[in-house]
Amino acid sequence: MEWEEEIFEPRPKKAVGRPARNPFHTVECEEDFIRRCRNMVERYYHPTPNTYSDFVFAARKKASKTRFWAMIFIYYMEEKGMDENYSGFIERVVSTLGNSVICDRPTLSRTIKGLQKLYITIDDARLKDMDKDVSISDADMKAHQKYRKQYVGVVKYWEECLG
């Protein structure tokens, strides 16, 4: 019996998880996002070893890259109507700036969920007037005030970075 030499082609790999489609609805919004990303990194991204504050806005205003990108993600979802697509968002940042500027997807999604649970897009007065089923504990209220202040600062710097 003779053996025939056959060349076996491996099966093509299938993508796992949600596809990294573009989360931005308009090209103008995506271009604005990319310009602001570049400007923010040039101005404020100063990674230092053994610290968690990679984005330094002022002497006492610092943020980790995970929290910074989580707040920008929440801002674009709430204000600009971006889709909730972590993979597409991370892909846009990585293609623009590289891997070292942003954290991995699971860390970013955990941070976003934690910040959304604290309602950082809602100011303190409105949060206190909300229904009892939505109200949060005193410890979470203190965390809300801290992260709300940081969120407002990050959004302010984000909006002013082209001006």
Side-chain angles (χ1 to χ4, degrees), residues 21-34 37 69 72-73 75-77 80-85 88-93 96 158:
R21 70 182 191 281
N22 191 354
F24 299 101
H25 293 290
T26 63
V27 175
E28 293 83 16
C29 184
E30 183 177 6
E31 289 173 354
D32 180 61
F33 173 76
I34 290 171
C37 282
W69 290 114
I72 295 300
F73 185 87
Y75 169 72
Y76 268 84
M77 263 184 31
K80 307 287 185 179
M82 182 179 76
D83 290 338
E84 188 174 356
N85 185 352
F89 180 78
I90 290 172
E91 184 179 284
R92 294 301 175 271
V93 175
T96 304
W158 182 261

Side-chain angles (χ1 to χ4, degrees), residues 4 11 52 70 109 111 114-115 128 131-132:
E4 292 184 23
R11 282 189 260 168
Y52 290 107
S109 63
T111 305
L115 291 174
K128 288 178 183 175
D131 295 336
K132 294 295 179 193

Side-chain angles (χ1 to χ4, degrees), residues 17-90:
R18 180 181 277 186
R21 70 182 191 281
N22 191 354
F24 299 101
H25 293 290
T26 63
V27 175
E28 293 83 16
C29 184
E30 183 177 6
E31 289 173 354
D32 180 61
F33 173 76
I34 290 171
R35 278 196 314 272
R36 289 181 194 276
C37 282
R38 288 187 180 133
N39 285 340
M40 288 297 285
V41 168
E42 287 174 10
R43 289 182 185 182
Y44 304 114
Y45 183 68
H46 306 291
T48 53
N50 301 326
T51 62
Y52 290 107
S53 56
D54 297 322
F55 283 89
V56 181
F57 303 110
R60 307 259 312 149
K61 294 182 179 180
K62 301 176 182 180
S64 68
K65 63 184 177 183
T66 305
R67 194 164 301 128
F68 173 78
W69 290 114
M71 289 180 179
I72 295 300
F73 185 87
I74 291 170
Y75 169 72
Y76 268 84
M77 263 184 31
E78 295 291 326
E79 299 296 325
K80 307 287 185 179
M82 182 179 76
D83 290 338
E84 188 174 356
N85 185 352
Y86 304 121
S87 300
F89 180 78
I90 290 172

Side-chain angles (χ1 to χ4, degrees), residues 99-139:
N99 275 335
S100 63
V101 176
I102 194 167
C103 59
D104 58 343
R105 185 186 178 282
T107 306
L108 183 69
S109 63
R110 274 195 311 270
T111 305
I112 290 169
K113 294 296 181 197
L115 291 174
Q116 283 178 330
K117 186 181 86 171
L118 294 174
Y119 303 105
I120 62 168
T121 57
I122 300 173
D123 62 347
D124 296 341
R126 280 188 41 222
L127 188 63
K128 288 178 183 175
D129 292 339
M130 290 175 77
D131 295 336
K132 294 295 179 193
D133 59 337
V134 181
S135 65
I136 58 178
S137 67
D138 291 336

